[in-house]
Amino acid sequence: MSIIDQGGSFNLGGRSVKRLGYGAMQLAGPGVFGPPRNHGAALAVLREAVESGVNHIDTSDFYGPHVTNQIIREALHPYRDDLVIVTKIGARRGTDGSWIPAFSGEELTQAVHDNLRNLGLDVLDVVNLRIMFDVHGPAEGAIEAPLTVLADLQRQGLVRHVGLSNATSRQIAEGRGITEIVCVQNQYNLAHRADDRLIDDLAREGTAYVPFFPLGGFTPLQSSTLSDVAARLDATPMQVALAWLLRRAENILLIPGTSSVGHLRENLATASLALPDDAVWELNRMADIAP
């Protein structure tokens, strides 16, 4: 049994994936724009992840743009049979690196074909529709038109399964009226827990929840609390934050990203980190610390 097997597995689009996966966002250049500083290191991180047992990689063709998917293809193609690559569409990059909504039927269709070409695939395992009514967090707005386009591409055999990113509960319900939603990808961590109820609802339904920014937006006091717990456990703050997420709900799938093999190994070692009850109690209280 590998280390990450200790973190368990969960169903994603009808396939069992390890709950500790890898997010490829940081493989692109600064600001997720342009090429990486060290191309060889980016290849090494991906290969190390898969060799360590990771079988869930999260990416998007608007990372770079195109850069991250091309690196994944160079490093890992032809892909292992058990590897699930999840991508997302719904945005594009400006020449200045800005994030621009790309919700038209033409843009979404082009994005799917760009992902297929740059990843070297005939069909995409899972495609998340990134909802862009507010770049910084979920915001209400109808998603029927763009999701219908994605569902049509699914019926054409270009996409196996569909998920949502940056989504509200109402949008998830709307989406389920159009196609099966196999995962939801939102910001969630020790300090930012607006999705607590949503996670529990999805867990009861057997739907995967994929949190991003496990250390994002902490206040200095919250960061200090996390660091204190980590020091007592002889672990890094990131390891403790990830371990808490693994314990939080069985449907949570983690996609910590890094461009360093050393940090990748630290992240994957989280699977063997057992949090004592007193540490969990202290970590749970972080959500009540006012920003």
Side-chain angles (χ1 to χ4, degrees), residues 7-263:
S9 60
F10 193 76
N11 178 70
L12 178 59
R15 298 173 67 182
S16 178
V17 299
K18 309 290 177 58
R19 293 183 63 209
L20 262 169
Y22 175 74
M25 186 176 185
Q26 293 187 33
L27 294 182
V32 201
F33 197 67
R37 291 190 178 95
N38 188 325
H39 187 84
L43 297 175
V45 167
L46 284 163
R47 290 167 179 159
E48 176 80 14
V50 172
E51 289 169 4
S52 299
V54 168
N55 64 353
H56 170 209
I57 292 178
D58 181 85
T59 186
S60 174
D61 210 56
F62 55 68
Y63 294 164
H66 314 306
V67 171
T68 296
N69 281 352
Q70 291 169 357
I71 292 173
I72 290 172
R73 180 177 184 174
E74 181 181 353
L76 302 177
H77 195 277
Y79 304 111
R80 284 174 34 168
D81 290 342
D82 68 335
L83 181 63
V84 176
I85 298 178
V86 179
T87 189
K88 64 186 72 63
I89 62 175
R92 60 183 177 85
R93 305 303 294 278
T95 56
D96 59 351
S98 56
W99 303 81
I100 303 169
F103 255 34
S104 72
E106 182 179 359
E107 289 171 315
L108 295 170
T109 301
Q110 184 63 52
V112 165
H113 284 281
D114 286 345
N115 276 279
L116 287 167
R117 181 182 66 257
N118 286 313
L119 287 169
L121 292 169
D122 296 322
V123 58
L124 299 171
D125 290 321
V126 182
V127 175
N128 286 322
L129 177 66
R130 171 71 178 186
I131 301 170
M132 297 284 286
F133 296 117
D134 185 339
V135 175
H136 304 291
E140 295 296 353
I143 62 170
E144 179 180 2
L147 194 58
T148 297
V149 172
L150 185 51
D152 286 341
L153 293 166
Q154 184 182 28
R155 282 188 286 273
Q156 293 172 34
L158 300 178
V159 175
R160 288 195 179 95
H161 300 284
V162 172
L164 296 175
S165 177
N166 207 34
T168 68
S169 296
R170 184 175 298 176
Q171 288 161 342
I172 296 167
E174 181 184 9
R176 284 173 169 158
I178 299 169
T179 188
E180 180 187 9
I181 302 300
V182 301
C183 59
V184 175
Q185 186 181 96
N186 283 357
Q187 181 178 3
Y188 180 84
N189 58 41
L190 276 163
H192 295 269
R193 300 181 56 180
D195 276 357
D196 266 336
R197 180 174 177 179
L198 174 60
I199 289 171
D200 294 337
D201 290 343
L202 293 174
R204 284 190 291 271
E205 296 155 357
T207 302
Y209 182 91
V210 187
F212 54 83
F213 296 148
L215 290 181
F218 285 28
T219 68
L221 182 55
Q222 290 166 333
S223 295
S224 176
T225 300
L226 178 60
S227 295
D228 289 346
V229 172
R232 294 203 308 268
L233 298 177
D234 193 25
T236 68
M238 174 66 98
Q239 286 175 323
V240 172
L242 294 175
W244 181 86
L245 286 166
L246 283 176
R247 178 160 168 163
R248 168 62 183 81
E250 65 177 9
N251 63 322
I252 287 181
L253 299 177
L254 302 184
I255 50 168
T258 179
S259 58
S260 160
V261 168
H263 288 157

Side-chain angles (χ1 to χ4, degrees), residues 262-289:
H263 288 157
L264 171 71
R265 291 171 178 165
E266 288 182 359
N267 291 342
L268 298 183
T270 298
S272 63
L273 178 60
L275 297 179
D277 289 341
D278 61 332
V280 173
W281 179 86
E282 190 170 352
L283 294 169
N284 286 342
R285 291 185 62 247
M286 285 177 56
D288 299 325
I289 300 175

